[in-house]
Amino acid sequence: MDFHEFDKTMPVDKAVKERIKAVEKMSGAKLTHISHYSIDEEETVKKNIENMIGVTQVPLGVAGPLKVNGKEYIIPLATTEGALVASVNRGCKTINLSGGAKATVVDNRMTRAPVFSCESASKAVEAAMWIDKSFDEIKKLMEEDPFLKLLKVRSWVVGRNLYTRFECFTGDAMGMNMITIGVEKVCKYIEENTGAKWLATSGNMCIDKKPSALNMIEGRGRRVIAECVIPEKVVREVLKTTPDAMIEVNYRKNLVGSAQAGSYGFNAHFANIVAAMYIATGQDPAQVVSGSMGFTLIEKKGNDIHASVTVPCLKVATVGGGTQRETQSEALDIMGLRGGGKPAGANADKLAEVMASAILAGELSLVAALAAKHLGRAHSQLGR
Amino acid sequence: MDFHEFDKTMPVDKAVKERIKAVEKMSGAKLTHISHYSIDEEETVKKNIENMIGVTQVPLGVAGPLKVNGKEYIIPLATTEGALVASVNRGCKTINLSGGAKATVVDNRMTRAPVFSCESASKAVEAAMWIDKSFDEIKKLMEEDPFLKLLKVRSWVVGRNLYTRFECFTGDAMGMNMITIGVEKVCKYIEENTGAKWLATSGNMCIDKKPSALNMIEGRGRRVIAECVIPEKVVREVLKTTPDAMIEVNYRKNLVGSAQAGSYGFNAHFANIVAAMYIATGQDPAQVVSGSMGFTLIEKKGNDIHASVTVPCLKVATVGGGTQRETQSEALDIMGLRGGGKPAGANADKLAEVMASAILAGELSLVAALAAKHLGRAHSQLGR
Amino acid sequence: MDFHEFDKTMPVDKAVKERIKAVEKMSGAKLTHISHYSIDEEETVKKNIENMIGVTQVPLGVAGPLKVNGKEYIIPLATTEGALVASVNRGCKTINLSGGAKATVVDNRMTRAPVFSCESASKAVEAAMWIDKSFDEIKKLMEEDPFLKLLKVRSWVVGRNLYTRFECFTGDAMGMNMITIGVEKVCKYIEENTGAKWLATSGNMCIDKKPSALNMIEGRGRRVIAECVIPEKVVREVLKTTPDAMIEVNYRKNLVGSAQAGSYGFNAHFANIVAAMYIATGQDPAQVVSGSMGFTLIEKKGNDIHASVTVPCLKVATVGGGTQRETQSEALDIMGLRGGGKPAGANADKLAEVMASAILAGELSLVAALAAKHLGRAHSQLGR
Amino acid sequence: MDFHEFDKTMPVDKAVKERIKAVEKMSGAKLTHISHYSIDEEETVKKNIENMIGVTQVPLGVAGPLKVNGKEYIIPLATTEGALVASVNRGCKTINLSGGAKATVVDNRMTRAPVFSCESASKAVEAAMWIDKSFDEIKKLMEEDPFLKLLKVRSWVVGRNLYTRFECFTGDAMGMNMITIGVEKVCKYIEENTGAKWLATSGNMCIDKKPSALNMIEGRGRRVIAECVIPEKVVREVLKTTPDAMIEVNYRKNLVGSAQAGSYGFNAHFANIVAAMYIATGQDPAQVVSGSMGFTLIEKKGNDIHASVTVPCLKVATVGGGTQRETQSEALDIMGLRGGGKPAGANADKLAEVMASAILAGELSLVAALAAKHLGRAHSQLGR
C-alpha cells in the first residue's frame, strides 16, 4: 500500500499512526520519538506535509536578549550544532554593551520568473516590449489577491527565449504561492496576446533556492543591513581580541578568501544563524541558500570598530507556511512577531531586522574566535 | 540573569524548565509546544545546544520507498512546505517504475582552510613550498584522530596571504570538528617552521556554508551522481507530460535560465529535498547552501529520457552531531543507515546515494509539473 | 631622460624619432618595423597615446561579405591567430546561404559607478533615497554634454558604503569619458547635499573591464542578439557535420561544460571575433573582457537548426577614441559605418549588429569544427 | 569571387593587393593606410591570417623603464586609450623609487579539456578511472612534441558527460596548438579503450577565452604575483595622495565593490595593461579575458603601503603565434625577451613577471588617481 493511501481511508490521526506502523514494519525501526509530538495533525496535513508520520524534534535554544533598533528581542535558535547558541549569545552581549544594533530593511520584493519560448529572438523582443507596455493590465490581473502588489516586470531575451521576472510586495507572507497563482494567470494572458509560448512558470530567473549573482545583486525577499559600533573596550573584554585583529581576519578571510574561492558569501557563517532561526520560526529552510549570501564588513572607527552585515536576500514571513505550526509560532511569540503586522509587512520587516542583527552577533563572535584562535577549543568544549 | 547562568546552578532538566519560565515571563509567550518533547536533555545540552528551552517540532513525512542501486529505501522528509513530500513521492514512483536509480559517490573529501599572513608574497610562496615538501609530517600530525585521513594539502598565494586547504577523509562523520582540531595543530607547526603568521583557522577557502565556485568545481563532502532512464510510457502516465516537454523545460530553465542568472544551481530545487532530509536525519541544515549547487540533466535516449542529478558538494554523516538526537537517528533507522558503516564511510556513502536519488525524484516531479503547467494548482491544493 | 620629456622640448615627429633612438640605445633593439607607419603623429599623440615610438602592425584580413538584416557587410579582422579569418569566413558563407543573419540591439546603456563612504549604513540609505528623489536635478547636471542622456541611477548600500550606478545613452561614442566628467560633477553635488563622502569615481559597480555577473545580467554597452535558421543541407555541405552533432556539442560544451567551469561565457569563442574586430575598428581591446560573456544556443527547428548568439555587453563606437585612427576608420569605412549615425547611436547600433552576426559566424564554424573533429587539423594547416 | 580565391591563383603579395582593390570596390572605401605596412606578407599569410588586406596600425608607446627583480625593462604598450601610457609610466616611477617590483611566477600550466559522452554516469565514472590509471601511457602519447610536458589529467563527471582537463607545460610557447594536437591523439586512445564517445576536443573546462571561476582558482597559463612596498613619501610625492586614501579606495572599490558586482576581477584595470602589452608583443588579445581576473591588494606596512597584484591566469609566449611578426618581435626585443629562453619557459616566465609588474604600476597609478579624484581631469587632458 502506498503511504498516501492511508489518508483516503481513515481520519488523519489514525492515518499517521497506521503509517508509522507500516514504516516500522518495513524498516524494522522503532519510531518512539518521531511519534511523540503535540502538533495538530489535521492542520499540519492540510497545510504543511503529506504522508506524515510524526515530527523531527530539533533542539531549541535562546540567545540574547538582543537590542535591535532600541528594543530587546530574545533570539530563538533551533540547531544541533554545539557552540552555535553560545557564540551568538556572546555576539548579542557584545552588541548590547555597544548600545544595540541598528538594522534597516533596504528593499523588499519577492519574485517569480516564467520563461516563454518564441519562434525567434526578434519575436521574443517584441513580446518583451508588449509586456512593458501592458504593465497596468498585468498588474490588475496579478493583484486579485489583495495582499499582493506587483512592483515591476523585467524581461531578458536569450536567443529565442523570453525570461520574465515579476517582482512583488507580499506583506508579511513569504508569498511564493500567491505570486505563482497570479503569474500563471498573467502567463496565459501574455501567451494569448503575443504568441510567445508559455513554457514554464519558473525559468530560473526567479531564482528560487539556488545561489545566484542575480539575487545577490537585485535582491529577492528583503535586503537588510545591521550595523553596530563596538568600542575597543568591549572588543577586548567580551570578544577577547583586538579591533585590529578582527579587522584583519575579516579582510583576509571574508573578503580576499571568499573572492579567491569564487563565492557569493563574503562572510563567516551567515547560514548558521539563518538556518537556526528559519527552523525555529517556520521559514523555508531551503531558503538558507540565498540567506547565506552577503557581506560582513569590519572597519576602524577611531579606536573602535564599525561592524555591519549586509544580507541581500533574506526571505522571512510571520504568516503562512511553517510559521503556523505550534512550536514555530511560539518562537515568533518569543519575539512578539507572530502574525500580520500593521501595516502589512511590518512584522516581517522587523523579523528581518532582528535576524540580520542576530547574524551580526554571530559574525562578530566567530570572527573574534578566529582572531583569538580558539575555534577548535570552543567546539571541543561545547560538543561536536 | 543570563540564559546560560541556569546551567551552572541546577541540573539540566531543571535549567531548561526555569529558562522556559524566564523566556515566557520576559516575552509574554506561552511555550506549551516547545516544551513538549521526548529527547534526552542532558545529552542534548552536552552535544548539541546551549540555553535549551525545548524543541522545534518539524512535521515529518515519508516518500517512497525508492529503489536505489537495487535496494529500497523509505525517504524521511522534515518540512512545512505543502506538496513537497507528495512531489518527491511521485518522483520515487517514476523512478521505481523505471527500474530504480543508479547512484554513485564519485569523490569524498572534507576541507578546512586556514589563512596565513606573510611578510611578502615571495615569503608566502616559500611557505607554500615548505608545506608541499612537508606533507608526510603534516599528515602524521593530523592523523592523531584515527578516523581522519589527510588526502591532500593545497595552497594559494594571494598577495602576501597564504591560503591553504586541507582535504581529508572523515569516514561516516561530517568531520569538520576533527579536522579543525587537527588543522590547528598543523597551523602551529607551519608557523614555527616557516615564519608565516597563522592568522585564522578558516580563511574561507574551505569554504564552509557559503555558495562558491570552488566547491562546485573541487567538491566538498561527497560528489554524487544519481541517474535513471525513464521510459516514455512512465513519463506520460506518472509524470503526465512528454519526454520532449521535460527536456525542453530542463534545457531552458535549468541550463539557460540559471546561466543568465549567474547561478551555481543548474537545477530546479535540489535545496528542497536536501533541506528536508538534512533536518530529518540530523545533518547541518546550514550545509543546504552547498547542497543546492549542481546539475540536472534530462536528455533523449531513444524515445525515453535519461535523467541525472550531479550534486558536487553533499555533506552527510551517519554518526556525530545532530544524527545522535532521538528522532534523527530514528530517521536514519528508517533507511537502515544509523551509525558507522563498514568500512568507515560506507553508511555515509549510502546516505549520499539515497539522498541524490531522492533529489532526482524531486527534480523529475517538479520539472514535469512545470512542463505540464500544474505548479500553482499543486500548491493551491496541497497547502500554502 | 624620461620618455615623456621629449614631447616638451621638440615637435611631435621629432620626439617620436628621438624616443625610438633612446629606446634602441637602451635596449639594443632595432625598431625598423615599429617606426614604419603612416598615421598622423600629432593627432595620435594628442588623442590616443603618450610616449609614442611608432605602431604595432597587426595583420588585417577580411571575411564575408556577411548578410545582416538584409544588407551585406565585409568583416575586417585584425589578428595573428591563423585559421580565425578562415573560420569566420566559413560561418559567413553558412549564414548567407541561410538567408542572412537577423540581429537586434535589445538594450544600450553605458555606466559609471562612483562609491561614497558614509558614517553609517543608515546614513548611506538616506543618501540613496535622496539621490532617487533628485533624479531630475542630477540628469540636468549630467546632460551638459549634449550627446549624453542619463537613463537611470541605481544605488546599492553595502555596510556603510553607497555604490551608485549611472546608466547613460552616449550615441555613437563609447562614452566613458563624457560620463566620467558628468558623474564627477554629480558626485560633488551629492556630497554637498547628503554628507556622503565621495570616495572614488568608480567603485567597481560600473563595472569596467572586469568580468562580472552584474554586467552579464544588467548589460553594459549594447545587449545584442544575432540569429539565423540554418537548413540541414547547409549544415552538411558547408559545415561538414549534422544538425544533431552541432546541437549536442553546443549543449555539452557551451552550456553544461561552461556551467561546471563557473564561467560567464556560455559560448565557444566570442572573444576571438570581438578582439579581432575591436582591434580592426579602433574599439578598446580591454573591453573584450565583457564581450566574451554571453550565450550561444543551437536548437532544432524541424530538420534545421536555429542558432543564436546573445551578447549582453558589447561596447562599440563609431566616433572618438581609437576609431579616429587612420587604419581603424578605414576599417569602419569598409562596413560603411564610420562616424556618427542618424539618429545618434544608429551607426554604433549597426556595428554591434554586424559584430554579433560575425560572432554567430564564428560560433557556427567552431562548433561545427569540433563536432566534425577537425580542430587540430585546421590549426595545423592554417598556422600556429 | 570569394576573398580567399585570390591566394590560389597568384603570389601572396599580388593576392593582397587584388584583395584590397576588391574590398575598395565593393565598399567604396579608400584603404591607403591599411595597405601601408612593412611586414612580410608571405610569412604572415602562412602563419597568422587568411584573406589579408594589410595591417591595423595600433599606436605604440613606452613606459618605464620599470625595475623588476633587480633588472630594468622598458614597457611597450599598444593602445589608443589616451592617458594609459602616462598612467603606467607614473606607476613605474613610483615602483622604481620604491626599489623596484618583486615578481614571481607561482604556477604554470596550459590546458585543453575534451568532453566525452557516455552511455551512463556510471560508465563515465569508469572511463574517468581508466584515464587515471593510464596516465603514463597518455603522457607518452602526448609528449611526442618535445616541447610539451603533460603535468596532470583531471576528470569531472556531470550526468553522463565526462569532462577531462589536460594540464601541460609548453615552454616559451602559448602552446594551445601543440596541446590540441596531442590531446586529439589521446582522445582517440581513450575512445578506443573505454567506449566513452569523444564528443569534442574542447568541452569548455579548458576554459579558453571565457571568464571563469575555474581558471581564477586553478590557473591557466601562468599565475604570477608582483609586489612592492611604497614608502609614504613616494605615495605623497609621486602619486599625490596618501597611503590611507589608497588603502581605502582599494578596499571599497576593488574588494567590496567587485564582490557586490559578482566579478572575477578584484582590481581596477588589469585588462588595460594586459591588452596593451598583448597587442604590442603579439600575444592573443582574446586572452585578455582571463588576464583581467585577479586581485589588487593595498595594505598598511608601518607608515608605508604593501601593494601587490595577483594574476592567476596570464597567457604569454615569446615564440610562435603573433610573437613572430615584425613589430611584435621588436617589442619583445625592447625587453630583451624575444625567442626561447634557457631553460625552456624562462623567457615567458620573465615576460609574465614584467607584465605583472607593469600591471602593478597601472593599478597603483589608477587607484591613486581615484583617491586623489583626478580621473576625469586626466582623461580630459590626455585625450578621449
Side-chain angles (χ1 to χ4, degrees), chain B residues 50-241:
Chain B
E50 302 81 46
N51 297 352
M52 180 175 167
I53 59 168
V55 304
T56 299
Q57 298 180 33
V58 183
L60 181 67
V62 285
L66 172 61
K67 205 168 171 184
V68 180
N69 296 340
K71 215 183 142 203
E72 292 203 332
Y73 296 89
I74 298 169
I75 308 298
L77 297 153
T79 185
T80 56
E81 184 177 348
L84 180 61
V85 175
S87 175
V88 174
N89 203 47
R90 186 170 75 136
C92 291
K93 194 174 164 191
T94 305
I95 291 172
N96 291 345
L97 286 171
S98 309
K102 175 96 185 67
T104 318
V105 169
V106 180
D107 192 49
N108 175 18
R109 57 193 67 236
M110 182 48 64
T111 64
R112 189 43 108 188
V115 55
F116 298 82
S117 175
C118 303
E119 209 187 293
S120 64
S122 45
K123 290 280 180 197
V125 172
E126 278 173 32
M129 287 166 61
W130 184 89
I131 292 171
D132 264 2
K133 281 187 320 190
S134 312
F135 180 79
D136 292 343
E137 292 84 342
I138 288 170
K139 187 176 167 68
K140 222 168 119 185
L141 258 176
M142 287 281 292
E143 295 188 356
E144 285 183 22
D145 187 314
F147 288 106
L148 191 67
K149 301 287 159 214
L150 180 65
L151 304 172
K152 200 168 17 170
V153 186
R154 298 194 54 188
S155 296
W156 287 260
V157 178
V158 182
R160 51 181 180 169
N161 303 294
L162 170 60
Y163 294 87
T164 55
R165 179 167 153 122
F166 291 79
E167 306 182 354
C168 302
F169 173 78
T170 60
D172 293 297
M174 199 265 270
M176 281 300 290
N177 291 327
M178 67 172 93
I179 300 183
T180 299
I181 291 162
V183 159
E184 294 195 342
K185 277 183 293 185
V186 173
C187 285
K188 272 178 221 154
Y189 180 65
I190 293 172
E191 194 172 55
E192 286 160 15
N193 283 278
T194 66
K197 182 187 152 207
W198 168 29
L199 187 76
T201 302
S202 164
N204 273 14
M205 291 285 285
C206 314
I207 169 176
D208 193 37
K209 306 180 183 179
K210 273 88 66 184
S212 72
L214 174 59
N215 286 349
M216 181 176 70
I217 293 165
E218 295 301 322
R220 187 168 189 251
R222 280 157 173 90
R223 183 178 177 107
V224 53
I225 306 179
E227 65 184 328
C228 186
V229 176
I230 322 281
E232 183 189 7
K233 188 179 146 73
V234 176
V235 173
R236 289 188 186 276
E237 292 180 5
V238 182
L239 295 176
K240 313 289 185 202
T241 183

Side-chain angles (χ1 to χ4, degrees), chain C residues 105 107-110 170-176 220-224 273-274 277-279 281-284 287-288 290-291 311 313-320 322-323 332 335 337 339 345-356 359:
Chain C
V105 169
D107 193 48
N108 175 18
R109 58 194 64 237
M110 183 47 64
T170 59
D172 292 297
M174 200 264 272
M176 280 301 288
R220 188 168 187 251
R222 281 159 172 89
R223 182 179 178 106
V224 53
I273 293 89
V274 173
M277 290 192 76
Y278 270 24
I279 295 172
T281 60
Q283 314 300 322
D284 186 338
Q287 299 286 16
V288 172
S290 49
V311 192
C313 207
L314 199 60
K315 281 102 171 189
V316 289
T318 58
V319 300
T323 68
L332 287 169
M335 294 181 283
L337 297 174
N347 267 7
D349 278 351
K350 271 182 209 148
L351 180 55
E353 288 165 356
V354 172
M355 217 177 267
I359 292 170

Side-chain angles (χ1 to χ4, degrees), chain D residues 227-253:
Chain D
E227 65 184 329
C228 188
V229 176
I230 322 280
E232 185 190 5
K233 189 177 145 73
V234 176
V235 174
R236 288 188 188 278
E237 292 180 3
V238 183
L239 296 176
K240 314 289 184 200
T241 183
T242 65
D244 283 343
M246 288 191 70
I247 289 166
E248 186 177 1
V249 166
N250 194 70
Y251 166 81
R252 300 202 195 279
K253 170 192 171 69

Side-chain angles (χ1 to χ4, degrees), chain A residues 48-306:
Chain A
N48 300 114
I49 202 161
E50 302 81 47
N51 297 354
M52 180 175 167
I53 61 167
V55 303
T56 299
Q57 298 179 33
V58 183
L60 181 68
V62 285
L66 172 60
K67 206 169 168 181
V68 180
N69 295 341
K71 213 181 145 204
E72 291 201 333
Y73 296 88
I74 298 169
I75 309 297
L77 298 153
T79 185
T80 57
E81 183 178 347
L84 180 61
V85 174
S87 177
V88 174
N89 202 46
R90 185 169 76 137
C92 291
K93 195 174 163 191
T94 305
I95 291 173
N96 291 345
L97 286 171
S98 309
K102 174 95 185 67
T104 318
V105 170
V106 179
D107 193 49
N108 175 18
R109 57 193 66 236
M110 182 48 65
T111 63
R112 189 42 107 188
V115 55
F116 297 83
S117 175
C118 302
E119 210 188 291
S120 65
S122 47
K123 289 280 180 197
V125 173
E126 277 173 32
M129 288 166 62
W130 184 89
I131 291 170
D132 264 2
K133 278 188 325 191
S134 311
F135 180 78
D136 293 343
E137 291 84 342
I138 287 171
K139 188 175 167 66
K140 224 168 119 185
L141 257 175
M142 287 280 291
E143 295 188 355
E144 284 183 22
D145 187 315
F147 288 104
L148 190 68
K149 300 287 157 214
L150 179 64
L151 305 173
K152 201 170 12 172
V153 186
R154 297 194 54 188
S155 296
W156 287 262
V157 178
V158 182
R160 53 181 178 167
N161 302 294
L162 170 60
Y163 294 88
T164 56
R165 180 167 153 122
F166 291 78
E167 307 182 352
C168 301
F169 173 79
T170 60
D172 292 297
M174 199 264 271
M176 281 301 288
N177 290 328
M178 66 172 92
I179 300 183
T180 299
I181 291 162
V183 158
E184 294 195 341
K185 276 182 294 186
V186 172
C187 284
K188 273 180 219 155
Y189 180 64
I190 292 172
E191 193 170 56
E192 286 161 14
N193 281 279
T194 67
K197 181 187 154 207
W198 168 29
L199 188 75
T201 301
S202 164
N204 272 15
M205 290 285 285
C206 313
I207 171 177
D208 195 36
K209 306 180 184 180
K210 273 89 66 184
S212 72
L214 174 58
N215 286 349
M216 182 175 70
I217 294 165
E218 295 301 322
R220 188 169 188 251
R222 279 158 174 90
R223 182 179 177 108
V224 52
I225 306 180
E227 64 183 330
C228 187
V229 176
I230 322 281
E232 184 190 4
K233 190 178 145 71
V234 176
V235 173
R236 289 189 187 276
E237 293 179 2
V238 183
L239 296 176
K240 314 289 185 201
T241 184
T242 64
D244 283 343
M246 289 191 69
I247 289 166
E248 187 178 0
V249 167
N250 194 70
Y251 166 79
R252 297 201 196 279
K253 170 193 171 70
N254 287 342
L255 290 175
V256 183
S258 283
Q260 175 63 80
S263 177
Y264 295 149
F266 294 83
N267 60 68
H269 68 146
F270 279 18
N272 272 336
I273 292 89
V274 173
M277 290 192 76
Y278 270 23
I279 296 173
T281 60
Q283 314 301 321
D284 186 336
Q287 299 285 16
V288 173
V289 171
S290 48
S292 73
M293 303 193 298
F295 313 89
T296 296
L297 301 185
I298 302 183
E299 302 170 359
K300 210 66 185 274
K301 176 143 191 171
N303 292 323
D304 309 326
I305 58 174
H306 179 276

Side-chain angles (χ1 to χ4, degrees), chain D residues 91-214:
Chain D
C92 291
K93 194 176 164 190
T94 305
I95 291 172
N96 292 345
L97 286 171
S98 308
K102 174 96 185 66
T104 319
V105 169
V106 181
D107 192 50
N108 175 17
R109 58 194 66 238
M110 183 46 65
T111 63
R112 190 41 109 188
V115 56
F116 298 83
S117 174
C118 303
E119 210 188 293
S120 65
S122 45
K123 290 280 181 198
V125 173
E126 278 173 33
M129 288 165 62
W130 183 89
I131 291 171
D132 264 2
K133 278 188 320 189
S134 312
F135 180 78
D136 291 343
E137 291 86 339
I138 287 171
K139 187 175 168 66
K140 223 168 118 187
L141 257 176
M142 286 281 290
E143 295 186 357
E144 285 183 22
D145 185 316
F147 288 106
L148 191 67
K149 300 288 159 214
L150 180 63
L151 305 172
K152 203 175 0 179
V153 186
R154 298 194 54 188
S155 297
W156 288 261
V157 178
V158 182
R160 53 181 178 166
N161 302 295
L162 170 60
Y163 294 89
T164 56
R165 179 168 153 120
F166 292 78
E167 305 181 354
C168 301
F169 173 79
T170 60
D172 292 299
M174 199 265 271
M176 281 300 290
N177 290 329
M178 65 172 93
I179 301 183
T180 298
I181 290 162
V183 159
E184 293 195 343
K185 278 184 291 185
V186 173
C187 285
K188 272 178 221 156
Y189 180 63
I190 293 172
E191 194 172 56
E192 284 161 18
N193 282 278
T194 66
K197 181 188 154 207
W198 168 31
L199 187 74
T201 301
S202 164
N204 273 14
M205 291 287 284
C206 315
I207 171 175
D208 194 36
K209 306 182 184 178
K210 274 89 66 184
S212 72
L214 174 58

